[in-house]
Amino acid sequence: MKRHELIIIGAGPAGLSAAIEAKKNGMDVIVFDENARPGGQLFKQIHKFFGSKEHHAKERGFRIGEALLKEATDLGVRVELNATVMGIYENKEVTVKMDGSVHHYKGDYIIIATGAAENMIPFKGWDTPGVIGAGAAQALMNLQGVQPGQKVLMVGSGNVGLVVSFQLLQAGCEVAAVIDAAPRVGGYGVHAAKVARTGVPFYLSHTVIEAKGGDRVKSAVIAQVDEHFKPIPGTEKELDVDTICIAVGLTPMSQLASNATCKMELLPSKGGNVALCDEHGETSVKGIYCAGDVAGIEEASSAMIQGKNVASHICMKAGYIDEDEFNTKYHGFQAALGELRQGMFAPKNKGRNDWKTTDEGYPISRNLLAKGFVTDEEMKFFPAAKTDVEGIHPVIECTQNIPCNPCQEACKFGCIMVGANITRIPVLNEKKKCIGCGMCVATCSGQAIFLVHKEFEPGYTSIGFPYEFLPMLKTGDKGKGLDRSGKPVCDAEIIDVKTLPAMDKTAVVTMKVPTEYADTARFFKLA
């Protein structure tokens, strides 16, 4: 039996962050992961993170994963891959299957950071080839470079469903629709909006009832549901798709915690059956901790902070740091978590459907919740979204209280203000002059900022918008300006394409449209 001070199970965001924190303080650490490469879900994530600088805001998930791996490697953290932890037993003994053999380890402390598993919904033909989870779709696209299908139905409008829908579009797939049994979009409105303006329709209060095709998916039958989520006869629609992608939530992979005799509780607010933990992540079994999604479903940013928090508590108990140093770290970690756990999408607000206004008193867009985009009339309630400003200026179409402030950091001239509370909706500082650099457009994690010059030339307005598709648009391209629903509304011409290393693959493309569409046109489609 091999012995280590700290055994970490799972080399995802929480596990790697915990390993780095513990190793920095001098602990003997070993990490086990059943996969062939470390990093967990981070390497599937090509979108930019939300939050503030401390939460890796505006950084893409895979780049965060690369940085974590480099730091762990430089510190000499030992990570055993293709290593399946089979069980946790008395006195913190762990059995691990590696290379066809079972190995025994004993730890003074154990951190369970096994993450979560995708949920599935049963329907006729749900085992047909072509019905896949959103995580599998991401792995195919972002790790293997393979399209999951040509025409995809997305089931689920939470952040995972919305983010993966956009990534499917980036991979060259057609997204036939986003559906959800719930009566409202579940994820961030900015994620829904960037999908909707490409022309993808949303069907809320709908579910999939059948995958047709036999040997592979050839179509999907969807139907409207009533208030009890039962399909309503006569509302069926058949969609021509070859792939059905399921994104209906995650469940904590807490089996090892249960196996270790930790006290468990079914908590819907945390995503399922989880170990009962104190504020430091310690379970009812002393010396065994949980961190990340296994302790409750949240974003990867939260998982990384939790991993550090748990590891620092262990370092204090093991004598590697004193209580004062731990308390300083703990308060910092809690403050960082507190920022992410504010606003409409805070864990404590999970399941709430009674939102009428934002924290600032702006009315919540009903159309955004029902169809994925804000109407022209609804957008007028948001001061930062107005276009009647002299000269070029940012138009910010961020309409919900989400934890994010990269736009404030991006503008070196102080034109955009969020303030200390990062869930506040951005406002414009009209005393400052925008120079049209486009950094706010490229930096916005929700792709919700546009550069508008209403009097660009007589009769025409220029609109700069974020663009992350290939092939890249070119100056002189002619086509149609699309509104927020993806409907063509006017002729448009590309007049500028700006790409800089600091923009991290988000181009700022500027189109010229007739001035009467300055409040309407938000995307472009080649003729």
Side-chain angles (χ1 to χ4, degrees):
M1 183 181 293
K2 300 182 180 81
R3 188 182 188 98
H4 293 275
E5 285 183 295
L6 174 59
I7 294 173
I8 299 175
I9 305 168
L16 281 179
S17 298
I20 290 167
E21 182 70 20
K23 191 70 174 178
K24 279 181 177 177
N25 290 311
M27 285 199 82
D28 166 38
V29 185
I30 188 168
V31 184
F32 296 111
D33 195 285
E34 64 183 0
N35 296 299
R37 63 181 296 181
Q41 302 300 312
L42 286 173
F43 284 95
K44 298 179 185 179
Q45 297 176 346
I46 62 172
H47 59 284
K48 294 179 179 179
F49 275 36
F50 289 77
S52 64
K53 186 176 182 180
E54 291 72 24
H55 309 114
H56 302 280
K58 80 177 183 178
E59 294 182 52
R60 300 189 188 275
F62 73 94
R63 297 194 191 282
I64 298 170
E66 290 171 347
L68 279 179
L69 278 182
K70 183 179 186 306
E71 188 172 6
T73 301
D74 290 348
L75 287 168
V77 173
R78 181 180 168 190
V79 179
E80 294 287 350
L81 300 174
N82 297 307
T84 302
V85 174
M86 301 167 63
I88 302 173
Y89 304 99
E90 242 185 311
N91 299 317
K92 293 184 275 297
E93 181 185 343
V94 174
T95 55
V96 187
K97 185 177 180 181
M98 293 186 291
D99 302 321
S101 301
V102 176
H103 302 259
H104 292 255
Y105 291 83
K106 183 171 173 52
D108 296 332
Y109 301 92
I110 295 173
I111 298 175
I112 302 171
T114 44
E118 290 187 293
N119 296 336
M120 180 53 72
I121 53 174
F123 52 88
K124 187 176 180 181
W126 72 284
D127 57 348
T128 303
V131 179
I132 62 174
Q138 279 189 305
L140 286 169
M141 293 184 294
N142 303 336
L143 298 179
Q144 307 300 329
V146 176
Q147 283 184 325
Q150 292 296 314
K151 196 169 184 180
V152 185
L153 169 65
M154 176 59 68
V155 183
S157 69
N159 278 337
V160 173
L162 297 174
V163 165
V164 176
S165 291
F166 194 74
Q167 291 175 6
L168 286 163
L169 295 168
Q170 290 176 306
C173 306
E174 179 182 350
V175 178
V178 175
I179 70 170
D180 201 310
R184 53 167 283 173
V185 170
Y188 292 171
V190 289
H191 279 323
K194 70 183 183 184
V195 173
R197 64 176 173 256
T198 68
V200 175
F202 282 66
Y203 295 104
L204 280 299
S205 295
H206 278 72
T207 190
V208 58
I209 59 175
E210 184 178 359
K212 289 187 172 182
D215 61 334
R216 62 181 177 86
V217 172
K218 296 177 182 175
S219 67
V221 179
I222 66 173
Q224 190 174 350
V225 298
D226 61 22
E227 64 271 21
H228 303 293
F229 302 106
K230 300 292 185 184
I232 301 172
T235 64
E236 296 85 0
K237 295 184 187 73
E238 187 168 347
L239 303 179
D240 177 24
V241 298
D242 58 20
T243 305
I244 300 173
C245 189
I246 309 296
V248 292
L250 303 169
T251 297
M253 294 180 66
S254 57
Q255 296 90 335
L256 284 173
S258 178
N259 166 247
T261 69
C262 301
K263 288 182 180 178
M264 310 292 290
E265 187 171 354
L266 183 62
L267 295 173
S269 63
K270 291 183 177 289
N273 200 37
V274 294
L276 291 177
C277 299
D278 65 15
E279 67 271 24
H280 306 302
E282 190 168 18
T283 69
S284 59
V285 179
K286 294 302 178 186
I288 298 181
Y289 293 72
C290 289
D293 279 351
V294 72
I297 306 300
E298 293 189 69
E299 301 293 333
S301 302
S302 298
M304 289 184 279
I305 298 168
Q306 287 179 37
K308 294 177 184 178
N309 187 29
V310 165
S312 66
H313 188 254
I314 290 171
C315 288
M316 186 266 290
K317 290 182 70 174
Y320 285 90
I321 60 176
D322 61 31
E323 191 171 350
D324 287 342
E325 185 177 354
F326 165 71
N327 285 330
T328 299
K329 288 175 176 284
Y330 173 72
H331 291 306
F333 294 141
Q334 290 304 110
L337 281 172
E339 287 189 309
L340 293 174
R341 291 171 174 171
Q342 299 180 75
M344 296 171 58
F345 295 90
K348 65 181 179 182
N349 293 323
K350 189 172 183 178
R352 277 188 62 181
N353 294 312
D354 59 346
W355 297 103
K356 296 292 189 296
T357 64
T358 67
D359 291 346
E360 298 82 1
Y362 307 135
I364 297 292
S365 166
R366 312 321 294 176
N367 203 75
L368 175 65
L369 299 179
K371 297 181 180 179
F373 64 95
V374 183
T375 65
D376 291 353
E377 287 302 312
E378 290 173 324
M379 196 62 76
K380 291 177 181 177
F381 288 106
F382 295 87
K386 63 183 180 180
T387 61
D388 289 323
V389 175
E390 185 179 349
I392 194 166
H393 67 285
V395 169
I396 305 175
E397 299 191 355
C398 183
T399 63
Q400 295 174 326
N401 297 116
I402 57 178
C404 198
N405 73 353
C407 55
Q408 178 176 265
E409 298 293 323
C411 185
K412 303 305 181 186
F413 300 93
C415 299
I416 301 173
M417 300 181 296
V418 176
N421 184 344
I422 66 171
T423 59
R424 300 290 291 181
I425 290 174
V427 296
L428 299 180
N429 185 347
E430 296 184 3
K431 295 179 180 179
K432 301 294 182 178
K433 179 72 173 175
C434 173
I435 65 166
C437 68
M439 287 307 301
C440 60
V441 178
T443 298
C444 176
S445 303
Q447 299 193 13
I449 302 180
F450 306 85
L451 272 183
V452 177
H453 190 178
K454 200 163 186 178
E455 299 166 352
F456 171 69
E457 62 182 47
Y460 288 94
T461 290
S462 68
I463 301 174
F465 58 93
Y467 197 80
E468 290 187 349
F469 297 97
L470 293 175
M472 182 55 63
L473 295 170
K474 305 184 300 296
T475 300
D477 282 344
K478 291 182 171 61
K480 293 291 183 180
L482 309 183
D483 67 8
R484 295 180 186 89
S485 72
K487 176 185 173 183
V489 291
C490 63
D491 291 330
E493 179 184 350
I494 302 302
I495 58 173
D496 186 47
V497 177
K498 186 179 292 184
T499 58
L500 297 170
M503 292 177 172
D504 192 14
K505 305 295 183 183
T506 303
V508 178
V509 175
T510 303
M511 63 181 173
K512 181 175 73 171
V513 301
T515 294
E516 58 263 38
Y517 297 101
D519 295 326
T520 305
R522 290 296 177 266
F523 205 59
F524 177 88
K525 186 176 182 179
L526 278 169

